[in-house]
Amino acid sequence: MEKSKVLVVGGTGYIGKRIVKASLSQGHQTYVLKRPEIGLDIDKLQLLLSFKKQGAHLVEASFSDFRSLVDAVKLVDVVICTMSGVHFRSHNLLLQLKLVEAIKEAGNIKRFLPSEFGMDPALMGHALEPGRVTFDEKMEVRKAIENAEIPFTYVSANCFAGYFAGNLSQMGTLTPPREKIHLYGDGNTKVVYVDEDDVATYTIKAIDDPRTLNKTIYIRPPENILSQRELVEKWENLVGKKLEKSSISGHDFLESMKGMDYAHQVGVGHFYHIFYEGCLTNFEVGEDEEASKLYPEVEYTRMDDYLKIYV
């Protein structure tokens, strides 16, 4: 089967740049949206030019110019959006509604993958304020996609290792503690940690797979379903020492929100659902919906290997 042509929207972002790389490496004709609003952001421009060197096509289009979006969409078969949904960087999820309109107008897209890649928003109807805004907006985009009868795949990639594993799941840092560690409750709630490059690999594998059409795909590699304690133990084995551990109750953790800025309040809410409620692992995933079962040929990164770079 001929490989689909792919347009990546948000290709200079944290997960987007990996999606571009995976699309190229898996042999897809890859187009990357280049927004004129890039202005004097030299880092983003040079990243786009590096994609061009690797064989990607740069397509100039803007969310403020609907016709340019439609024209960009008409060049490809699959659109993957990776716009940021985290509040401490940039939060643009509802801009995707314009992209949905462009895809509907173009009428040629075989698959749309909106910007999700975290918790499944369909399971987060109970989420705490203010963090629930992320899930509500993702569900608004989903509703628009489905109302427009656009074929889709939703990707739930759980916890990006760069944000959740490298720091042993500590808030406010990206590197692992060497002396003391805070555990959420008893630290035994199961979480799913995934290397971001693996997220991209699985995502691209899914785009032409009839098994993933109009489904949510969960990236839940079995050896990466770990409790925070198990993650810390892997780190302790690597550095050859035990960390001093203290436990934070769910009540005290939520109380810590008071006085925080908006972005940090969002983060606390999300951490609470993951590490106290176990929202990533408290439901069953069917074999035809779990990426590592669909694509057993992918040699995904285990977290003890992932942590070695931090030693």
Side-chain angles (χ1 to χ4, degrees):
M1 187 176 69
E2 190 176 342
K3 289 179 181 283
S4 287
K5 291 182 280 190
V6 178
L7 173 66
V8 182
V9 180
T12 60
Y14 183 68
I15 200 71
K17 62 191 176 191
R18 293 171 168 87
I19 297 276
V20 173
K21 181 182 170 187
S23 180
L24 288 168
S25 69
Q26 291 183 41
H28 292 271
Q29 274 195 60
T30 304
Y31 296 74
V32 185
L33 200 73
K34 176 179 177 288
R35 295 164 67 184
E37 295 89 339
I38 198 169
L40 296 176
D41 192 329
I42 189 68
D43 291 331
K44 285 189 176 180
L45 177 62
Q46 289 186 343
L47 187 54
L48 287 167
L49 293 174
S50 77
F51 294 151
K52 190 176 177 183
K53 276 186 182 175
Q54 294 166 57
H57 308 276
L58 304 185
V59 185
E60 187 148 318
S62 172
F63 279 84
S64 59
D65 179 355
F66 182 71
R67 184 48 47 191
S68 72
L69 274 185
V70 174
D71 290 344
V73 165
K74 283 183 174 178
L75 295 171
V76 299
D77 309 301
V78 172
V79 177
I80 304 173
C81 187
T82 60
M83 299 177 78
S84 176
V86 291
H87 285 80
F88 60 87
R89 298 179 76 172
S90 58
H91 186 87
N92 300 313
L93 292 174
L94 290 183
L95 265 183
Q96 293 180 99
L97 295 174
K98 293 184 179 180
L99 188 55
V100 170
E101 283 300 310
I103 291 169
K104 183 179 176 182
E105 171 86 11
N108 63 299
I109 291 303
K110 296 176 185 173
R111 197 85 62 105
F112 177 42
L113 285 71
S115 184
E116 295 222 352
F117 304 107
M119 296 175 247
D120 181 356
L123 302 177
M124 298 306 296
H126 66 292
L128 296 166
E129 297 282 6
R132 65 170 299 125
V133 65
T134 304
F135 311 117
D136 290 345
E137 289 181 358
K138 287 179 178 180
M139 290 306 292
E140 189 176 338
V141 173
R142 283 190 180 193
K143 185 179 179 186
I145 292 167
E146 291 167 31
N147 286 347
E149 299 183 343
I150 295 166
F152 63 84
T153 298
Y154 304 140
V155 179
S156 174
N158 296 296
C159 288
F160 290 163
Y163 283 115
F164 288 91
N167 55 3
L168 307 183
S169 303
Q170 303 296 281
M171 296 191 76
T173 181
L174 292 174
T175 53
R178 302 261 171 179
E179 302 295 334
K180 298 179 180 179
I181 185 89
H182 294 299
L183 295 176
Y184 303 112
D186 60 12
N188 290 323
T189 300
K190 292 290 188 179
V191 178
V192 186
Y193 301 96
V194 189
D195 180 294
E196 292 85 342
D197 291 331
D198 293 341
V199 171
T201 297
Y202 285 125
T203 298
I204 296 299
K205 281 190 168 287
I207 62 176
D208 282 333
D209 188 342
R211 298 173 297 177
T212 63
L213 180 62
N214 296 336
K215 279 190 174 180
T216 299
I217 300 306
Y218 299 89
I219 304 177
R220 201 194 263 194
E223 289 187 45
N224 286 359
I225 302 173
L226 303 166
S227 68
Q228 188 193 9
R229 275 191 185 274
E230 289 170 328
L231 183 71
V232 171
E233 193 175 296
K234 288 180 183 295
W235 174 248
E236 290 174 333
N237 289 338
L238 285 170
V239 296
K241 65 179 285 190
K242 295 289 183 186
L243 273 58
E244 182 186 325
K245 299 170 184 71
S246 58
S247 177
I248 310 171
S249 71
H251 176 267
D252 288 348
F253 187 68
L254 288 179
E255 282 292 302
S256 73
M257 260 199 214
K258 292 177 179 173
M260 286 184 171
D261 63 32
Y262 182 83
H264 281 89
Q265 287 184 43
V266 169
V268 167
H270 291 183
F271 267 64
Y272 181 81
H273 294 305
I274 293 166
F275 292 100
Y276 291 93
E277 287 185 354
C279 70
L280 303 182
T281 55
N282 62 4
F283 62 96
E284 292 298 315
V285 173
E287 290 219 355
D288 63 340
E289 296 169 330
E290 201 287 298
S292 69
K293 290 189 174 70
L294 287 172
Y295 313 111
E297 68 277 9
V298 175
E299 187 59 39
Y300 65 86
T301 303
R302 278 67 173 170
M303 286 302 106
D304 40 5
D305 284 330
Y306 187 89
L307 288 170
K308 284 176 183 174
I309 193 70
Y310 296 91
V311 174

